[in-house]
Amino acid sequence: MMVVRDFILQMSSAVGGLAMVIMLFRDHIPHHFRELFEKYSSKFVRMVYPYVEITFPEYSGEWYKKNELYAHIKSYLTGKATTRARKLKADSLWGAKSILLAMDDNEEVTDEFQGAKLWWSSNKIVPRGMSLSFYPASDERRFYRLTFHKRHRDLITGAYVRHVIDEGKAIAVRNRQRKLYTNNPSENWHGYKKAKWSHVIFEHPATFDTLAMERKKKKEIMSDLEKFAQGKEYYKKIGKAWKRGYLLYGPPGTGKSTMIAAIANLMDYDVYDLELTTVKDNSELRKLLIDTSSKSIIVIEDIDCSLDLTGQRKEAKKEKEDDDDDEKEKDPVKKVKKEGIDKKGSKVTLSGLLNFIDGIWSACGQERIIIFTTNFVDKLDPALIRRGRMDKHIEMSYCSFEAFKVLANNYLDLESHHLFDEIEAMLKETNMAPADVAENLMPKSREETPETCLRSLIEAIEEAKEEAKKKKAEEEEEAKKKKAKEEEEGKAKEEEAKVAAKTTAKESKENAVVANGEMGGGAVKDNGVTS
C-alpha cells in the first residue's frame, strides 16, 4: 500500500509540474514559436505513432445536416457497446418496451475485422464559453473516432467502412419506429434542441384490410405502391427522381386521412405532415424538404385551404379587398391590423410549391411519396395536380355497400345479417360518408347489440335521406324564386326599354319639327302660312 501511495504522489507531482510547464509555455512563448513547435512535434509524433484516426462528426455539410454515417455507426455500435463497453448511456424509446443502450461520452470499445483490430470512441467537444442556462449548451459537437494501425488502411477505409454502414442500416431497419413529423415555425430552428421538425411515434392502426373501400380499388392502390417500392432501378434508368405523387379528393369524412395512415403502415414509411401556413416563404419550404428523410410520406392536407394558390381565390380576395377599401381608409386601426397580418402571413407561391413537388430540389432524397388531400378538387390550379406531379388521383367517395361490410366487420364482427339487404338498398339511394356510417355502427354502451347498432344506422340513413330531400326542395324553391326574380327583372327591363324607346321617338319627332321650322326661314302661323 505504501508503494502504491508513493507512486500516486509522484505521478501527481509530475502531472502538476507538466501542467505548470505547459502554462508557462503558452503564456510566455511567442505565438509564431509555438506554431513552429506544434508543427514539428506533430511530425515527430506521426513518425513514431503507427495509428491512423478517422473522425465521423454528427453534423456536416453546408446546410449543417445530420451526417448519415454518424447515424449508421451509432446503430452498428449499439450491439458492440452492450457487450463490451464499461460506460453505457440508456435512452428510452416512446412506445417501446425496452431501453436502448449506447456508448457513453468518452467511452471506447474494440472491434475486429478480418484479423485487424480497431478502436471506436465516442467523444464530444464542449464550447469554451460559460453561460447560465437551464439547458445544456446547444453548441456541443459529438463525433465518433475510429483508430487502427496504418498497415490496415486499405482494408479499413474500404471493406470495413462499407460493412459498418450496411450493418448499421440493417440494425436501424430492425429497430426503427416510424414517426409522425410536423414542421416547427422558423423561429424555433435555432437554439436549444434546434430542429425544423418535431415528431411523435406513429402508432395509427389503419391498414388496407380495415379501410372502408371497394376491394378492387384497394388492390389497385396497393399494387401501385408495391411497384413503386420496387422501382429504384427503373426510376434511375428513366432519369426521374424516385418519388410518386397521390391526390386524394372527395367530400369530408370519406377516409382521406385514414388512407394516408394505411399507406404508411403498408410501406413502413415515416409521415411528414407539412403545415404550409407556418412556412414563411419558398426558401423555408425548400429547407424543410431537404431535412426530410428517405422512405417517407410528405402530406399536405386540405391543400385548397392551406394557401391562396388559385387564380379564382385571388380574384375573389381582390374583389373583397376592393369592397372594403373605403372602410379601411375610414378605420386606421383595421388598416394597421391587416398590414400586420399580411407581413406575418406565408409568402409561399404556387411556383415554389411546384418546385417543391418536382423541381430540382425534389431529387435530394429517395423513395418519397407526396400526398395532397382536398375536399374540392375543382378549386385547385391544374398545374398543381397534373400527371407527373400528382401521378395518381384517388377519389374517396361516399360509403358503398361493400365499404359498409368492411366497417360492419371492423366494428361489430359481422360478415352477414338479415338487415344488410335493407341497408344496401338505402345506401344506393342516399349519400353517406364512411365516417358517419362508422359512428352509427360503434356501440355506445354495453347494452347495445350489433342489431341495435344496425337499426341505429338505418334510422341515420333515413334521416339523411329526408335531410337530402328537404335540402333538394329548398334548393328547388330557391331556384324557382331566383327564376321568378329574374323573370320580373326581365319584364321590368323590357318595360323600361319600351318607355325609353317611346321617349326617344317623341324627342326625335319634336327635334324634326323644330328643324323643319328653321329650314322654312320664317315663323309658322296658325293657318300654316309663312310670314
Side-chain angles (χ1 to χ4, degrees):
M1 290 294 296
M2 290 290 293
V3 175
V4 174
R5 188 176 63 182
D6 292 342
F7 176 75
I8 292 173
L9 289 173
Q10 290 175 6
M11 287 297 296
S12 301
S13 300
V15 171
L18 181 61
M20 184 67 69
V21 170
I22 292 173
M23 289 178 62
L24 291 172
F25 178 80
R26 186 183 62 189
D27 295 338
H28 298 284
I29 302 299
H31 179 70
H32 60 279
F33 282 120
R34 291 205 309 271
E35 285 186 342
L36 286 173
F37 176 79
E38 290 172 359
K39 176 181 177 181
Y40 287 105
S41 61
S42 297
K43 284 186 176 181
F44 175 75
V45 169
R46 283 197 296 269
M47 289 174 61
V48 298
Y49 186 70
Y51 293 95
V52 178
E53 296 179 349
I54 303 177
T55 299
F56 300 90
E58 183 177 10
Y59 291 93
S60 64
E62 182 181 352
W63 293 87
Y64 202 63
K65 274 188 68 176
K66 275 251 187 186
N67 188 354
E68 290 188 5
L69 284 177
Y70 183 91
H72 298 328
I73 293 168
K74 184 176 181 180
S75 299
Y76 175 78
L77 292 177
T78 299
K80 307 287 182 184
T82 305
T83 57
R84 302 178 186 179
R86 292 178 177 271
K87 291 198 305 179
L88 297 171
K89 179 170 56 178
D91 290 333
S92 62
L93 293 177
W94 189 11
K97 295 181 180 179
S98 60
I99 60 175
L100 179 66
L101 296 177
M103 292 171 58
D104 200 359
D105 296 329
N106 303 314
E107 179 61 357
E108 184 178 89
V109 295
T110 59
D111 194 13
E112 290 186 4
F113 183 76
Q114 296 184 11
K117 192 172 183 180
L118 318 95
W119 295 266
W120 284 102
S121 61
S122 174
N123 306 277
K124 70 175 179 180
I125 300 174
V126 181
R128 294 181 180 178
M130 299 294 292
S131 62
L132 294 175
S133 174
F134 292 104
Y135 308 108
S138 60
D139 293 330
E140 290 183 353
R141 301 290 184 265
R142 298 180 183 277
F143 61 93
Y144 287 112
R145 178 177 287 128
L146 172 62
T147 305
F148 55 91
H149 199 281
K150 61 183 180 182
R151 66 172 173 266
H152 302 304
R153 178 189 291 268
D154 294 337
L155 175 66
I156 302 304
T157 56
Y160 178 71
V161 171
R162 286 195 299 272
H163 163 74
V164 170
I165 293 171
D166 293 341
E167 189 67 20
K169 284 181 179 179
I171 293 172
V173 168
R174 289 198 298 268
N175 297 335
R176 78 187 289 261
Q177 287 183 305
R178 280 176 296 110
K179 299 179 179 65
L180 172 62
Y181 291 86
T182 184
N183 52 303
N184 297 323
S186 56
E187 293 81 7
N188 299 342
W189 292 5
H190 310 284
Y192 174 67
K193 288 189 176 179
K194 52 190 175 185
K196 295 180 180 65
W197 298 90
S198 299
H199 72 267
V200 295
I201 301 301
F202 184 81
E203 296 179 310
H204 200 294
T207 65
F208 275 90
D209 290 335
T210 61
L211 192 64
M213 182 181 280
E214 294 82 357
R215 187 178 303 175
K216 182 180 178 181
K217 196 170 183 179
K218 286 195 285 189
K219 189 175 180 181
E220 177 188 338
I221 296 168
M222 293 171 67
S223 177
D224 187 84
L225 289 166
E226 289 165 0
K227 185 177 180 181
F228 167 76
Q230 299 165 4
K232 181 177 181 179
E233 295 302 322
Y234 175 76
Y235 278 86
K236 185 177 179 181
K237 185 184 78 171
I238 63 176
K240 286 187 66 176
W242 191 11
K243 63 180 181 57
R244 191 155 178 80
Y246 287 83
L247 175 68
L248 308 182
Y249 66 95
T254 50
K256 294 183 284 294
S257 297
T258 307
M259 169 66 80
I260 293 169
I263 292 174
N265 286 327
L266 176 69
M267 304 294 283
D268 198 22
Y269 284 3
D270 292 329
V271 179
Y272 288 84
D273 185 12
L274 178 58
E275 179 55 60
L276 277 180
T277 56
T278 64
V279 183
K280 286 185 177 179
D281 51 36
N282 296 336
S283 177
E284 283 192 5
L285 184 64
R286 191 161 53 243
K287 289 177 182 177
L288 286 168
L289 173 65
I290 291 169
D291 209 43
T292 59
S293 63
S294 299
K295 289 183 176 292
S296 62
I297 301 172
I298 300 173
V299 179
I300 303 178
E301 293 199 84
D302 297 322
I303 183 67
D304 56 304
C305 302
S306 297
L307 294 173
D308 289 333
L309 295 172
T310 65
Q312 291 87 344
R313 271 197 298 279
K314 288 182 180 178
E315 288 173 7
K317 184 178 178 183
K318 186 176 184 300
E319 289 175 4
K320 187 177 184 305
E321 289 175 352
D322 291 341
D323 293 339
D324 296 341
D325 276 345
D326 295 337
E327 185 180 350
K328 290 171 195 167
E329 291 298 331
K330 293 176 184 177
D331 192 343
V333 175
K334 288 185 178 180
K335 185 176 180 182
V336 171
K337 186 177 179 181
K338 183 187 180 300
E339 288 175 355
I341 292 172
D342 288 343
K343 288 179 182 177
K344 293 180 181 178
S346 175
K347 294 181 181 178
V348 174
T349 63
L350 177 60
S351 173
L353 191 58
L354 296 181
N355 286 329
F356 174 85
I357 300 169
D358 67 350
I360 263 187
W361 289 97
S362 67
C364 65
Q366 290 191 332
E367 204 171 348
R368 281 201 187 103
I369 293 174
I370 300 173
I371 298 179
F372 288 170
T373 72
T374 180
N375 296 334
F376 307 100
V377 68
D378 295 336
K379 290 185 177 182
L380 298 180
D381 194 298
L384 187 65
I385 59 175
R386 69 163 175 80
R387 305 291 176 172
R389 290 194 174 111
M390 293 294 105
D391 304 285
K392 190 170 183 63
H393 295 190
I394 302 173
E395 181 180 6
M396 308 297 292
S397 57
Y398 289 109
C399 190
S400 64
F401 179 64
E402 191 172 350
F404 157 76
K405 288 196 293 184
V406 174
L407 292 173
N409 191 25
N410 292 343
Y411 287 85
L412 303 173
D413 294 325
L414 288 178
E415 293 185 1
S416 63
H417 194 275
H418 65 88
L419 292 174
F420 276 17
D421 293 337
E422 183 179 352
I423 292 172
E424 180 180 10
M426 297 181 74
L427 286 175
K428 288 178 180 178
E429 300 175 354
T430 309
N431 289 332
M432 179 173 274
D436 295 328
V437 173
E439 179 61 26
N440 285 282
L441 289 177
M442 181 182 291
K444 309 299 188 300
S445 65
R446 293 181 179 178
E447 289 75 22
E448 286 194 67
T449 64
E451 181 160 344
T452 57
C453 292
L454 291 175
R455 294 197 179 280
S456 173
L457 174 61
I458 291 172
E459 291 176 7
I461 296 174
E462 288 176 348
E463 290 176 5
K465 188 176 180 179
E466 292 300 320
E467 186 68 27
K469 285 181 180 180
K470 185 179 177 182
K471 187 176 180 181
K472 186 177 180 181
E474 289 175 354
E475 289 175 353
E476 289 176 353
E477 184 66 25
E478 188 68 26
K480 287 180 181 178
K481 289 180 179 178
K482 186 177 180 182
K483 186 177 180 180
K485 186 178 179 181
E486 288 175 352
E487 288 176 354
E488 288 178 4
E489 290 176 352
K491 289 179 181 179
K493 287 179 181 179
E494 286 179 4
E495 291 296 328
E496 289 176 1
K498 288 178 181 179
V499 171
K502 288 180 181 179
T503 303
T504 303
K506 185 178 180 181
E507 289 176 352
S508 300
K509 187 175 180 181
E510 290 176 353
N511 292 336
V513 170
V514 172
N516 290 333
E518 290 176 351
M519 290 176 65
V524 179
K525 293 184 178 181
D526 293 339
N527 58 7
V529 179
T530 304
S531 59

